[in-house]
Amino acid sequence: MAAPAQPKKIVAPTVSQINAEFVTQLACKYWAPHIKKKSPFDIKVIEDIYEKEIVKSRFAIRKIMLLEFSQYLENYLWMNYSPEVSSKAYLMSICCMVNEKFRENVPAWETFKKKPEHFPFFFKCILRAALAETDGDFSLHEQTVLLLFLDHCFNSLEVDLIRSQVQQLISLPMWMGLQPARLELELKKTPKLRKFWNLIRKNDEKMDPDAREQAYQERRFLSQLIQKFISVLKSVPLSDPVTMDKVHYCERFIELMIDLEALLPTRRWFNTILDDSHLLVHCYLSSLVHREEDGHLFSQLLDMLKFYTGFEINDQTGNALTENEMTTIHYDRITSLQRAAFAHFPELYDFALSNVAEVDTRESLVKCFGPLSSNTLHQVASYLCLLPTLPKNEDTTFDKEFLLELLVSRHERRISQIQQLNQMPLYPTEKIIWDENIVPTEYYSGEGCLALPKLNLQFLTLHDYLLRNFNLFRLESTYEIRQDIEDSVSRMKPWQSEYGGVVFGGWARMAQPIVAFTVVEVAKPNIGENWPTRVRADVTINLNVRDHIKDEWEGLRKHDVCFLITVRPTKPYGTKCDRRRPFTEQVGLVYVRGCEVQGMLDDRGRVIEDGPEPRPNLRGESRTFRVFLDPNQYQQDMTNTIQNGVEDVYDTFNVIMRRKPKENNFKAVLETIRNLMNTDCVVPDWLHDIILGYGDPSSAHYSKMPNQIATLDFNDTFLSIEHLKASFPGHNVKVTADDPALQIPPFRITFPVRSGKGKKRKDADTEDEDTEEAKTLIVEPHVIPNRGPYPYNQPKRNTIQFTHTQIEAIRAGMQPGLTMVVGPPGTGKTDVAVQIISNIYHNFPEQRTLIVTHSNQALNQLFEKIMALDIDERHLLRLGHGEEELETEKDFSRYGRVNYVLARRIELLEEVKRLQKSLGVPGDASYTCETAGYFFLYQVMSRWEEYISKVKNKGSTLPDVTEVSTFFPFQEYFANAPQPIFKGRSYEEDMEIAEGCFRHIKKIFTQLEEFRASELLRSGLDRSKYLLVKEAKIIAMTCTHAALKRHDLVKLGFKYDNILMEEAAQILEIETFIPLLLQNPQDGFSRLKRWIMIGDHHQLPPVIKNMAFQKYSNMEQSLFTRFVRVGVPTVDLDAQGRARASLCNLYNWRYKNLGNLPHVQLLPEFSTANAGLLYDFQLINVEDFQGVGESEPNPYFYQNLGEAEYVVALFMYMCLLGYPADRISILTTYNGQKHLIRDIINRRCGNNPLIGRPNKVTTVDRFQGQQNDYILLSLVRTRAVGHLRDVRRLVVAMSRARLGLYIFARVSLFQNCFELTPAFSQLTARPLHLHIIPTEPFPTTRKNGERPSHEVQIIKNMPQMANFVYNMYMHLIQTTHHYQQTFLQLPPAMVEESEEVQNQETELETEEETVPAHADSTPSPTDASCSHETPPAQTEVTPAPCEAAAPGAGPDTAPADTE
């Protein structure tokens, strides 16, 4: 199978090249932001740039990148645009810039929103240009650019400016483009539309002729565009050479059609126009489809368009059509054809009288209609209103082939979408893995279009939503699988042996040659299916490898996925692999099939089951695994073998490859999505439309929910009545208790609940009263009943003084509906989440809450805070594998909870025994939970009731205080409580204490009653299931766990009422959706009441490794971000308590009025300066070091030695001043630089006690959600800004530091970037050379912003800093008493050092497992090795003073370095 050649990567120009460019010279003269005196606007500049730079270079991306980056659109094009100066070059320049912004994934419409008055005129010019003749003013390439621009417009309907223009093209009046008979037929189908149509015509008559003509042009625009496309398509020859401009135009046009069909607002009326144009028939009969190379992508796009034109949805209402409704539509079409045949075409009598199932296949339709003449076929089509009526005595102008295809394709039976999905293999095969139209390489530049679905704002139905996510998830996994296969197979070095077989010249950890492969079982199909229920095979391999690798292979567990590969190399022994050439050709890769491990076989051929028993020790090296093959794939392969006589794939496999378990859960997730599509997805009614992106975005807000709750108990949320009043500004707070001494928390608050539909009132006075009433809150303080005399009985209390926006978020979270909380860095998102969970737990004790987060780390942070609140730990449960990292002695996993219950049961039964003894009751009441229950009923309750009858209030006189303690029956039991139990001050107080003691006793027996099930259920598994389904009230898991285990949870009957999602903006769209459906609906309805999403869409999105899926398909868009785009109301937290106010200013411009909490100004740590450094943040300019800036040893593996050395030098300087090393973290924007910095730290700092190691050296992406006091940040790039252009990454980078941020970068590059301006304008306002105060020790008393009393030293460049640190280090050593000792220390033994490196490597490997490989940081299997090879080599060539800066592992290595 020939694979296409590797696409070239776009090389970004360097700063010096940028400066030398003609464009840059013009920018500096006319529009560059940093130039003060600019020349006046000149239209000729635009004409020149367009002709000389853009057209002449055939729209070279490099030129357009330069122009867009120089702020050409913002500062020149749109600023000066008006109808008077509009020209072809002007229009095209604007379109190129907008398209480039979309390609770069940066906001495109902001500029237009600031100056919207000329946009309508501009848009009409674009429409005219798109319809112009291709041999006229606008070339086909230019019109392709226009098509792309229009596509971006149709995909930006959330922008009001765009929507107002686009709507005129896609509303009902566009049906003017239908042929009259078809229009009549459509209006007859829905009588309501005729009314609208007549109204439109009336309005048209009132318009003046020019306006009407303009309106008609807009309405017919898409119909005319389709006709234009058909003429271009027909000009493509079958075999003669064709210009690629035509092919690209056709591809982009089909992409536009798909996007119009895949959105309901654009599809609603357009689908009929598309159907009436018979576009699909023209395309399928075109020459382009039959051109194998050029037409491959076009054919794939065409299949997507065909899928969407026939999508199972009612275009007008937007309702999904059921299987039955689709069948009815199909039958109606066939029967109307039969009626027409019967009435008017005697030659079709046989067809007319046949039953539908006999004539609705393609073969039978061709057989019936094939013999008819072209004219007859035309007449049949015109009876069905598909074509205009054929005038008498005239021949049709259409080909017979077209007419026949038109009738056949319209009436043939279609396989339903769900059937198609169920017949689809889940594992990718070689045909998909190396098809770059659907799984592009890492070099995807964003220029061409791809045959991939897109995730935009809206979806047609839930089925469409799930299907797009299914396909993208599958293909994204395929990309990773391709990388793994290429890595493993190329390491095995398959070569052709002398006898024509295969010989492996290398070895791979993750792959082994197959010794034997046999299919051992093909089970019969289920009724109604044509694929086997299961297919099993045995794979034998020879594990003659190191022990730890052998253990990994033997450790393959049930459900692990492996890949079976066939290679037939044609290259002789010793040929090297050339990365630049197609991989499959070089290694001779022929087939790839997936399989799922069932288990390893023992000596007797039986599968070794996973379980508590130790695994048997097998002799020899040979191991056999039983695997499940994909039944759908097996059936397709076998059919192909039998029908076409090709070889049996399953006889050819010679390599088996495994993958890392963490990256290998794609099949389980795909099965989950497929199961969801096969069940009735019951999403709550109040969420359904919002998830699809329609209707009122605020309809699920608590204020519009019909079941809003009036009175809520805020428990320990408020610290005082003053806190409560401050939390509801603008509200009138009425407290039910007048005595200030009683106005103490906890509080119940009654809110004014108004139904969404208010009556219209004319009377202004009542309206005022109404608003007054709506602002009044009734607050009722209440006392929590006494829980017992022991100190641990006292409830745990919240100590955080929440701000009023945090309180609004908590209030919204307690009410039913959808709550979205946007939490900027440091605003207490987790505290809000925990308080919501606690309040729901106390207000609705019978409800169950599911907590879902993106990472185990976030889940553990939540759990640690939940445990500090008043929540009974028996109600907590943590699912998944992350509970090991919880920093507590308690185990919240399933089995940990089972053990807790069993241990707690024994403790409580001991308490029962003590109580029994104290009451002097004989027998063994504490034997089981059941006997304890009887004891409570007959012994404890009777005594309590007797006691109450003695001491309760008799008549008007209060009983004596002493009676309460005298008659108390459990005095002896409570003898171990703090004494005296009864205070004797008042009857009420003592009575409350007595009742508290009884509550304590009663709780023991209530818990024992709950634990009874663990006595009845004997196995740990059953007990854990019982806990999950019945006992736990707060269940936590990661989104991945939810996706993997949905099937098991639903089967168990898992139920929950509320979902809280943390880090919601970091979770993939589909992984956010699956947790909504982890339970079966009750009576056809979902029991979900609340959905709380907490996240920050201004920080980094989910990690998508492939650029094409990330940018083209928008797969990185989380559901949270989409909801924000759609307009769902959010609560924006607006006070941060993490960073100094000055540091917060670097990113708070991105948020709605983000301020600081008072302590940020008041606490000494925030007001004190950073010792030894003049500024609390600084941008330090780093020029080329030895003539080199950034380097790229591997694709996207960027390194910058100058910056790396500078960062480490500053780190060492800070440590030498006395900063604790663990309070400093080093961040960078690329993996390559991370490895380089780690290497330099190993060389320079080693395990030196005077310096230490930084808390973390990692990438910005990995550090999201974490913080440290001091951050040193390296931005690496010197040629192009790269992925820091994504403002979200900038926000994360700027917001990690609490007290000090020092950024190392090439300033000339970053200061020109439009998106980064708000942050970089503040950074560049300070000096760009590092200012240090070497004589100021840490900690200092100097206030931040004060002039220092010590001398300030300015560091000009990296070698100077390196030298300075070295001298400072040597000086420190010499002035230390331990100089002698330290100097004489022997270097550590080599063994230890190699161990250290090995540990470092394993750490790297684990940290890379889910490494974000955005834009430019694609992890490579050789990451660690690359980093360990390149940096030391580079470091060797540093100049002498810089080498001197390498104390290495202490002074012991210094002399050697300086020699």
Side-chain angles (χ1 to χ4, degrees), residues 1075-1125:
L1076 297 180
L1077 299 163
L1078 297 182
Q1079 56 187 348
N1080 277 324
Q1082 289 179 316
D1083 311 323
F1085 295 98
S1086 168
R1087 63 181 270 167
L1088 194 66
K1089 298 168 184 68
R1090 290 172 192 79
W1091 186 12
I1092 301 127
M1093 293 169 86
I1094 301 177
D1096 181 3
H1097 56 293
H1098 293 308
Q1099 292 187 55
L1100 284 165
V1103 174
I1104 304 295
K1105 290 187 180 174
N1106 186 310
M1107 297 288 296
F1109 299 117
Q1110 184 190 327
K1111 289 190 172 177
Y1112 182 85
S1113 294
N1114 202 18
M1115 194 178 170
E1116 66 170 14
Q1117 174 177 265
S1118 62
L1119 190 64
F1120 185 90
T1121 308
R1122 183 161 71 87
F1123 278 177
V1124 172
R1125 279 181 70 197

Side-chain angles (χ1 to χ4, degrees), residues 874-1151:
R874 74 177 192 276
H875 291 145
L876 296 173
L877 179 62
R878 164 89 165 75
L879 300 182
H881 290 292
E883 70 276 346
E884 302 92 54
E885 293 133 37
L886 259 173
E887 291 175 14
T888 65
E889 297 78 63
K890 295 169 181 170
D891 182 355
F892 287 93
S893 67
R894 273 195 194 192
Y895 290 106
R897 292 294 83 195
V898 169
N899 294 336
Y900 165 78
V901 164
L902 297 175
R904 185 84 183 120
R905 172 182 162 273
I906 291 165
E907 281 172 27
L908 293 173
L909 288 173
E910 282 298 315
E911 286 296 298
V912 172
K913 194 173 184 178
R914 199 163 68 78
L915 177 63
Q916 182 189 356
K917 193 176 169 190
S918 73
L919 295 177
V921 178
D924 191 0
S926 63
Y927 182 57
T928 64
C929 296
E930 188 178 6
T931 55
Y934 293 133
F935 169 68
F936 176 70
L937 200 61
Y938 297 119
Q939 302 292 343
V940 180
M941 275 307 287
S942 57
R943 283 170 169 75
W944 176 251
E945 283 163 358
E946 186 188 335
Y947 167 67
I948 287 293
S949 66
K950 284 180 188 170
V951 299
K952 76 169 182 212
N953 208 335
K954 300 184 186 74
S956 56
T957 55
L958 276 176
D960 186 15
V961 180
T962 52
E963 287 183 9
V964 178
S965 56
T966 311
F967 296 129
F968 187 61
F970 309 116
Q971 283 276 19
E972 194 183 327
Y973 174 72
F974 286 109
N976 61 352
Q979 301 293 331
I981 295 175
F982 297 101
K983 307 289 182 280
R985 290 192 287 255
S986 73
Y987 169 77
E988 286 84 1
E989 185 187 9
D990 279 9
M991 201 60 215
E992 176 60 23
I993 290 170
E995 284 177 349
C997 290
F998 182 66
R999 282 188 198 103
H1000 176 84
I1001 291 172
K1002 193 176 176 185
K1003 187 178 175 186
I1004 293 174
F1005 291 99
T1006 316
Q1007 287 189 37
L1008 283 171
E1009 187 55 38
E1010 286 180 12
F1011 296 162
R1012 246 182 98 173
S1014 62
E1015 292 183 343
L1016 303 172
L1017 302 167
R1018 302 313 296 167
S1019 79
L1021 185 63
D1022 288 343
R1023 286 168 175 169
S1024 74
K1025 285 177 180 175
Y1026 175 81
L1027 278 182
L1028 172 64
V1029 177
K1030 285 276 188 288
E1031 182 77 0
K1033 294 277 184 279
I1034 295 167
I1035 302 104
M1037 62 182 83
T1038 62
C1039 53
T1040 312
H1041 186 84
L1044 293 180
K1045 299 293 180 190
R1046 179 189 177 269
H1047 179 72
D1048 301 346
L1049 291 168
V1050 170
K1051 203 168 155 190
L1052 273 179
F1054 180 53
K1055 296 270 185 287
Y1056 53 95
D1057 304 86
N1058 315 301
I1059 293 185
L1060 181 135
M1061 286 186 183
E1062 251 268 49
E1063 299 181 318
Q1066 278 179 273
I1067 307 179
L1068 279 178
E1069 175 104 36
I1070 189 65
E1071 291 187 332
T1072 318
F1073 181 74
I1074 290 172
L1076 297 180
L1077 299 163
L1078 297 182
Q1079 56 187 348
N1080 277 324
Q1082 289 179 316
D1083 311 323
F1085 295 98
S1086 168
R1087 63 181 270 167
L1088 194 66
K1089 298 168 184 68
R1090 290 172 192 79
W1091 186 12
I1092 301 127
M1093 293 169 86
I1094 301 177
D1096 181 3
H1097 56 293
H1098 293 308
Q1099 292 187 55
L1100 284 165
V1103 174
I1104 304 295
K1105 290 187 180 174
N1106 186 310
M1107 297 288 296
F1109 299 117
Q1110 184 190 327
K1111 289 190 172 177
Y1112 182 85
S1113 294
N1114 202 18
M1115 194 178 170
E1116 66 170 14
Q1117 174 177 265
S1118 62
L1119 190 64
F1120 185 90
T1121 308
R1122 183 161 71 87
F1123 278 177
V1124 172
R1125 279 181 70 197
V1126 168
V1128 174
T1130 56
V1131 179
D1132 293 66
L1133 303 183
D1134 56 5
Q1136 70 88 27
R1138 172 187 293 175
R1140 291 185 197 271
S1142 55
L1143 292 181
C1144 177
N1145 290 338
L1146 293 172
Y1147 56 88
N1148 66 6
W1149 49 272
R1150 198 75 187 93
Y1151 297 93

Side-chain angles (χ1 to χ4, degrees), residues 487-558:
D487 179 51
S488 295
V489 174
S490 57
R491 282 173 189 276
M492 290 183 77
K493 298 179 183 163
W495 293 316
Q496 190 175 33
S497 69
E498 299 155 28
Y499 310 107
V502 185
V503 58
F504 293 105
W507 73 280
R509 183 176 185 166
M510 306 303 279
Q512 285 292 324
I514 292 176
V515 177
F517 179 90
T518 41
V519 175
V520 293
E521 181 194 22
V522 181
K524 287 178 182 173
N526 290 329
I527 294 170
E529 293 175 352
N530 62 352
W531 59 90
T533 44
R534 71 171 175 271
V535 181
R536 293 194 295 174
D538 285 354
V539 186
T540 305
I541 56 176
N542 193 14
L543 290 178
N544 184 12
V545 288
R546 293 181 200 158
D547 287 348
H548 68 278
I549 298 177
K550 189 175 182 177
D551 292 344
E552 285 174 12
W553 278 98
E554 290 183 345
L556 280 175
R557 290 189 309 212
K558 194 173 182 176

Side-chain angles (χ1 to χ4, degrees), residues 284-302:
Y284 275 116
L285 296 175
S286 69
S287 305
L288 186 54
V289 169
H290 299 105
R291 292 178 74 101
E292 203 163 300
E293 287 259 314
D294 304 335
H296 181 54
L297 174 57
F298 180 75
S299 303
Q300 290 173 317
L301 288 163
L302 204 51

Side-chain angles (χ1 to χ4, degrees), residues 260-281:
L260 289 173
E261 285 284 289
L263 282 174
L264 194 59
T266 50
R267 173 196 181 92
R268 188 168 268 132
W269 314 111
F270 172 69
N271 195 30
T272 312
I273 290 276
L274 190 66
D275 187 54
D276 189 50
S277 69
H278 312 308
L279 176 77
L280 281 172
V281 181

